[in-house]
C-alpha cells in the first residue's frame, strides 16, 4: 500500500474514531471492573463501554486484521498499524478484552476447518462468547504435555473426564479451548485440541482465591462430559502443535502486563518522597533504580514493537515469545516492587477510607504480580525454551 493510500486510511480512521469513540472511553481504566470481557452474561461498567464495543465490532476493528467474513476488519498489517496509532493518539480504551481474540482466534484461523471458523470467529470478534483456557492440570503444569484429562471416542461424540487448574475466569466463561489426551501410549503425540461449551452437563468450576483477594483462576472439572465430534480442532492427536502455537500468543500477551497501569512509579515517588532543590527526586538511590527500570522498560517496549512489526510483515510468531514472557514478567514484578517502595506507608492499605483507589491498586497489584513468573508457563519452563529453541543448546549443556 502506498504512503498516500495509508494517509487516506489514517484520515478515514481518525474521522471515524473522533465521531464514534465516546469521551469516557478515552481515559485509562479506573479499575479492573471497568474492563469489558464480553460473553453471554457480559457486564458493562457504563453505557458508553457497551456502545464502544458495539461500534468497534460492527466496524470489525476488535479484530482488525482478521478476514471480514469472520467478523474482522480485513485490514492489512500497515493499515492496522495506522489504526493502532490513531487509537493510541486519543487514548482509547480497548473495546474488548478476550482470550478468544488474543489466543484462540489466531490458531482457529490457522488450524480450524471452515465450519469452525464461521461458527466461532465472528462471535469472538463481536464479544458474544467469552473463552477460557483448559491447559494446566494438578499434575501437569510446567510439564504440560503430561496432561491426563481423557477424551474417548464414543462413536457419535467425545467423552471427557479429568481436571484442569489455573483456568483463568472459567467461572465466567461460555466456552473452553482445551487440551485432552486421546492416546495414552505416547506423550506429545497423544494430545488433541477440543472446544467445550461450559454449559455442558458435567462441567464444574471452583474459583481459587489469591493473596490479592481476587479470584481470577479456577479449578475446572470435567465428569462424563459429552461434546460433538465436530468440536475437535485439527487432526486427532495433533493438538500439541496447536497448543505450542497458542502458548506463543499467550506468552506474548502476558509479557505486556502492567503496560497500561493507571498510576506511574515516577508520580508516586514524586508525591511521597518529594523533589530536591535541583528538581530531582530527593532519594538518590531510589531515583537511580527507577531510572534504570524506566530504561529497561523502554528498551523492552521497543524490542516488542520491533517483533510485532516483523510479525506483521509476515514472519511467524516464534519462540521469541518465551523470551518476551520472561523479560516482561520480571519487569512487571520489579515495577510493582518499586511502586510499593516509593509509596511507603501508603502501600500498607488493603481496604477502607484511609486509602484512595490508586493506593489500594498499588498494594493489590504488587500481590498480583507474584503470579507473573508462573502463569502462562513458568520462568524456568520459558528459559528452557529459550535455551533450546533460541540459543540451540542441548539438554546436557
Amino acid at each position: 500500500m502506498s504512503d498516500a493510500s495509508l494517509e487516506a486510511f489514517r484520515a478515514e480512521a481518525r474521522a471515524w474514531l473522533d465521531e464514534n469513540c465516546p469521551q469516557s472511553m478515552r481515559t485509562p481504566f479506573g479499575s479492573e471492573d471497568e474492563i469489558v470481557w464480553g460473553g453471554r452474561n457480559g457486564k458493562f461498567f457504563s453505557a458508553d463501554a457497551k456502545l464502544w464495543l458495539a461500534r468497534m465490532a460492527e466496524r470489525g476493528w476488535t479484530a482488525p486484521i482478521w478476514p471480514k467474513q469472520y467478523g474482522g476488519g480485513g485490514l492489512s498489517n500497515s493499515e492496522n498499524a495506522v489504526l493502532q496509532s490513531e487509537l493510541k493518539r486519543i487514548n482509547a480504551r480497548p473495546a474488548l478484552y478476550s482470550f478468544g481474540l488474543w489466543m484462540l482466534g489466531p490458531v482457529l484461523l490457522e488450524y480450524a476447518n471452515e465450519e469452525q471458523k464461521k461458527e466461532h470467529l465472528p462471535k469472538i470478534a463481536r464479544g458474544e462468547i467469552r473463552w477460557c483456557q483448559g491447559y494446566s492440570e494438578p499434575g501437569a503444569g510446567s510439564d504440560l504435555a503430561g496432561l491426563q484429562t481423557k477424551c474417548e471416542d464414543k462413536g457419535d461424540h467425545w467423552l471427557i473426564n479429568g481436571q484442569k487448574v489455573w483456568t483463568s475466569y472459567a467461572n465466567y466463561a461460555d466456552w473452553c479451548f482445551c487440551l485432552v489426551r486421546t492416546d495414552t501410549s505416547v506423550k506429545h503425540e497423544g494430545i488433541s485440541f477440543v472446544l467445550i461449551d461450559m454449559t455442558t452437563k458435567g462441567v464444574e468450576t471452583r474459583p481459587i482465591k489469591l493473596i490479592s483477594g481476587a479470584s481470577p483462576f479456577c479449578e475446572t472439572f470435567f465428569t462424563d462430559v459429552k461434546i460433538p465430534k465436530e468440536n475437535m480442532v485439527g487432526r486427532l492427536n495433533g493438538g500439541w502443535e496447536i497448543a505450542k502455537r497458542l502458548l506463543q500468543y499467550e506468552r506474548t500477551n502476558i509479557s505486556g502486563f502492567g503496560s497500561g497501569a493507571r498510576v506511574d512509579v515516577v508520580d508516586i515517588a514524586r508525591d511521597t518522597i518529594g523533589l530536591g532543590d535541583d528538581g530531582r527526586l530527593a532519594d538518590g538511590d531510589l531515583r537511580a533504580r527507577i531510572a534504570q527500570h524506566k530504561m529497561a522498560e523502554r528498551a523492552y517496549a521497543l524490542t516488542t514493537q520491533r517483533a510485532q512489526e516483523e510479525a506483521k510483515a509476515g514472519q511467524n510468531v516464534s519462540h521469541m515469545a518465551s523470551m518476551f514472557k520472561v523479560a516482561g514478567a520480571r519487569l512487571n514484578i520489579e515495577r510493582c516492587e518499586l511502586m510499593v517502595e516509593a509509596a511507603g506507608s501508603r502501600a500498607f492499605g488493603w481496604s477502607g477510607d484511609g486509602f484512595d483507589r490508586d493506593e489500594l491498586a498499588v498494594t493489590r497489584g504488587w500481590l498480583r504480580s507474584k503470579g507473573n513468573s508462573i502463569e502462562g508457563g513458568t520462568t524456568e519452563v520459558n528459559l528452557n525454551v529459550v535455551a533450546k529453541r533460541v540459543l540451540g543448546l542441548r539438554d546436557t549443556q
Side-chain angles (χ1 to χ4, degrees), residues 54-66 71-75 83 125:
R55 287 174 173 173
M56 285 289 281
E58 183 179 10
R59 186 79 180 192
W61 284 357
T62 53
I65 61 173
W66 290 8
L75 301 185
L83 173 62

Side-chain angles (χ1 to χ4, degrees), residues 69-85:
Q69 65 264 37
Y70 305 133
L75 301 185
S76 67
N77 291 326
S78 299
E79 289 173 324
N80 184 41
V82 169
L83 173 62
Q84 298 308 317
S85 70

Side-chain angles (χ1 to χ4, degrees), residues 17-18 20-27 48 90-91 93:
L17 291 173
D18 286 345
N20 289 282
C21 182
Q23 286 299 322
S24 65
M25 295 294 101
R26 306 184 188 198
T27 58
D48 279 351
I90 62 171
N91 297 315
R93 298 181 181 186

